[in-house]
């Protein structure tokens, strides 16, 4: 059971609800009136945009629908806006690829979709294709978006970096960052909310990047961070993640720096737990009192160990600390139970 709604329901570019059959729906004569209705988007939302074939739909299919990376090669181009709902009330919208020959200019002619303090834009760029065309489209979107929301977070996913050397990846990332910053400076746009990430569907970079986007949209994000900071301090832990089990994204973390190796190992551990749980007939809590059944101590090869505390079937605490601290399971379980109770009061579990 997942804590989100996947691609079973699609919404066309003008707000009409349709059944997603995987086929391209042709617009009828009611298109214009449907456009004027202007369907209300979710208050907390992430807008996924990019040129056709940039890989944005593949990213979301892998994260939310569990599609294997290699199976995305046969995906058809996105024709309708699709939504994915997270447990926290954040909705991710996948928009059709933006080009000059279809209705996808909706993203430019309807600036109100960028409004709101809980809105974030993700623009996906194919690092192995025409980067300049992608940047030209991105600059157009930024001008439109910042007219209605000057503080809109703009997250650039430099996608399909698999196969590139580390040096080339960094060069591409820095080049795009500089060109975006330079262009926004010329147009007097706010550059403080622009972030550039390197992503590929063949590792955990897509989940880590989207986690960094989504966590600031989660309700009472500041309260969750304070709770996890307190947990770290009182338990002498180095790092704590609040994980969404279904997507393997972290919804919140403490204020200490986040390092990719910690997150990657946490994801690998969740994969291992899923396999073990499946073989051992599964786990499903019937009440909050029964929810905390999985407490696991994982020893790493380095200087840290991993302690996992299950809050509910959908949420987990993944705690990183020194072996001496993580082996004090009674202290971690006691503090973890108090943290889990506080989190249940904030998020639906």
């Amino acid at each position: 059971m997942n804590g989100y709604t996947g691609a079973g329901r699609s919404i066309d570019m003008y707000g009409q609800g349709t059944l997603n059959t995987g086929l391209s729906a042709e617009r009828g004569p009611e298109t214009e009136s449907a456009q004027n209705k202007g369907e209300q988007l979710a208050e907390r939302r992430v807008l996924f945009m990019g040129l056709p074939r940039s890989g944005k739909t593949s990213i979301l299919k892998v994260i939310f629908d569990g599609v294997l990376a290699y199976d995305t090669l046969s995906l058809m181009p996105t024709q309708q806006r699709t939504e994915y709902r997270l447990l926290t009330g954040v909705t991710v919208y996948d928009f059709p690829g933006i080009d000059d020959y279809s209705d996808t200019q909706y993203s430019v002619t309807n600036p109100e979709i960028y409004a709101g303090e809980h809105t974030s834009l993700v623009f996906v760029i194919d690092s192995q294709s025409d980067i300049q065309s992608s940047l030209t489209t991105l600059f157009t979107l930024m001008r439109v978006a910042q007219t209605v929301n000057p503080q809109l977070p703009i997250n650039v996913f430099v996608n399909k970096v698999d196969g590139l050397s580390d040096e080339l990846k960094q060069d591409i990332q820095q080049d795009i960052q500089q060109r975006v910053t330079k262009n926004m400076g010329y147009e007097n746009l706010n550059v403080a909310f622009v972030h550039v990430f390197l992503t590929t569907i063949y590792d955990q970079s897509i989940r880590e990047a989207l986690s960094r986007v989504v966590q600031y949209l989660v309700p009472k994000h500041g309260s969750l961070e304070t709770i996890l900071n307190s947990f770290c301090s009182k338990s002498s832990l180095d790092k704590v993640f609040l994980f969404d089990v279904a997507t393997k994204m972290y919804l919140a973390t403490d204020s200490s720096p986040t390092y990719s190796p910690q997150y990657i190992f946490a994801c690998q551990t969740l994969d291992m737990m899923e396999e073990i749980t499946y073989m051992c007939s599964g786990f499903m809590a019937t009440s909050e009192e029964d929810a905390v059944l999985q407490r696991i101590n994982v020893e790493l090869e380095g200087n840290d160990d991993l302690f996992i505390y299950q809050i509910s079937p959908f949420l987990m605490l993944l705690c990183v600390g020194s072996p001496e601290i993580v082996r004090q399971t009674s202290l971690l379980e006691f503090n973890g139970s108090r943290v889990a109770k506080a989190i249940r009061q904030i998020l639906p579990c």
Side-chain angles (χ1 to χ4, degrees):
M1 180 175 180
N2 294 334
Y4 61 88
T5 300
R9 175 174 177 269
S10 291
I11 305 171
D12 68 18
M13 294 306 296
Y14 299 100
Q16 295 175 290
T18 62
L19 181 63
N20 185 3
T21 61
L23 301 176
S24 300
E26 294 183 1
R27 292 185 295 125
E30 72 278 9
T31 299
E32 184 175 356
S33 60
Q35 180 184 13
N36 292 335
K37 288 182 180 179
E39 180 186 1
Q40 184 76 24
L41 297 181
E43 177 187 2
R44 300 177 184 274
R45 57 185 181 268
V46 180
L47 312 176
F48 253 75
M49 298 182 182
L51 297 188
R53 313 305 300 180
S54 60
K56 55 187 179 51
T57 299
S58 297
I59 291 174
L60 297 177
K61 285 287 186 181
V62 169
I63 294 177
F64 290 97
D65 290 343
V67 175
L68 296 177
Y70 291 101
D71 292 338
T72 62
L73 297 175
S74 59
L75 288 178
M76 296 297 291
T78 303
Q79 300 295 329
Q80 298 174 324
R81 191 180 72 214
T82 307
E83 64 180 39
Y84 300 87
R85 295 178 184 173
L86 282 163
L87 176 71
T88 57
V90 177
T91 302
V92 180
Y93 291 99
D94 180 19
F95 284 79
I98 300 172
D99 58 45
D100 297 328
Y101 308 103
S102 69
D103 302 327
T104 53
Q105 288 302 317
Y106 175 91
S107 55
V108 175
T109 59
N110 293 266
E112 65 276 4
I113 64 175
Y114 306 105
E117 62 178 326
H118 302 302
T119 303
S120 186
L121 171 64
V122 172
F123 190 86
V124 182
I125 293 178
D126 183 352
S127 65
Q128 302 184 33
S129 185
D130 186 358
I131 294 179
Q132 182 56 50
S133 295
S134 295
L135 289 177
T136 300
T137 302
L138 173 60
F139 296 154
T140 301
L141 291 181
M142 290 191 302
R143 284 193 294 270
V144 173
Q146 291 212 347
T147 59
V148 295
N149 190 355
Q151 295 186 329
L152 175 74
I154 299 173
N155 306 279
V156 182
F157 284 15
V158 184
N159 198 33
K160 302 183 183 180
V161 297
D162 48 284
L164 303 181
S165 66
D166 291 341
E167 182 179 358
L168 183 55
K169 290 178 187 178
Q170 296 302 320
D171 288 344
I172 293 175
Q173 183 180 26
Q174 292 177 8
D175 179 61
I176 291 177
Q177 180 81 57
Q178 291 173 359
R179 290 162 74 175
V180 171
T181 302
K182 186 176 181 179
N183 180 272
M184 295 184 74
Y186 283 150
E187 302 192 23
N188 293 320
L189 300 177
N190 193 341
V191 300
F193 302 97
V194 178
H195 307 279
V196 181
F197 302 93
L198 296 173
T199 61
T200 171
I201 59 174
Y202 295 101
D203 62 26
Q204 302 298 343
S205 59
I206 53 172
R207 290 185 171 87
E208 183 176 9
L210 191 55
S211 295
R212 292 176 183 268
V213 174
V214 167
Q215 66 172 325
Y216 296 106
L217 303 178
V218 173
K220 298 185 179 178
H221 167 262
S223 298
L224 290 172
E225 184 177 287
T226 299
I227 292 171
L228 298 182
N229 282 339
S230 177
F231 186 27
C232 274
S233 175
K234 293 182 179 180
S235 305
S236 300
L237 294 168
D238 297 331
K239 191 69 181 174
V240 176
F241 297 100
L242 174 62
F243 257 76
D244 176 81
V245 177
T247 62
K248 299 183 183 68
M249 291 164 47
Y250 64 86
L251 305 176
T253 184
D254 63 280
S255 58
S256 65
T258 300
Y259 299 106
S260 292
Q262 295 174 333
Y263 173 77
I264 291 171
F265 187 83
C267 287
Q268 293 172 342
T269 303
L270 282 183
D271 287 336
M272 176 190 67
M273 287 179 57
E274 284 184 355
E275 295 177 3
I276 295 175
T277 301
Y278 179 78
M279 290 187 294
C280 298
S281 75
F283 158 74
M284 181 60 67
T286 57
S287 67
E288 289 187 359
E289 289 74 18
D290 300 331
V292 184
L293 294 182
Q294 298 199 40
R295 298 182 290 273
I296 301 175
N297 184 1
V298 181
E299 295 187 6
L300 310 183
E301 293 183 357
N303 298 322
D304 292 326
D305 281 7
L306 189 65
F307 179 81
I308 300 175
Y309 190 98
Q310 183 149 12
I311 298 174
S312 76
F314 312 116
L315 295 176
M316 281 185 176
L317 289 171
L318 285 91
C319 315
V320 180
S322 64
E324 295 77 15
I325 296 299
V326 173
R327 288 167 189 165
Q328 298 177 15
T329 54
S330 57
L331 172 64
L332 293 179
E333 289 179 12
F334 175 78
N335 289 341
S337 65
R338 297 172 68 88
V339 170
K341 183 177 180 180
I343 290 176
R344 291 191 197 105
Q345 295 175 352
I346 296 177
L347 298 178
C349 297

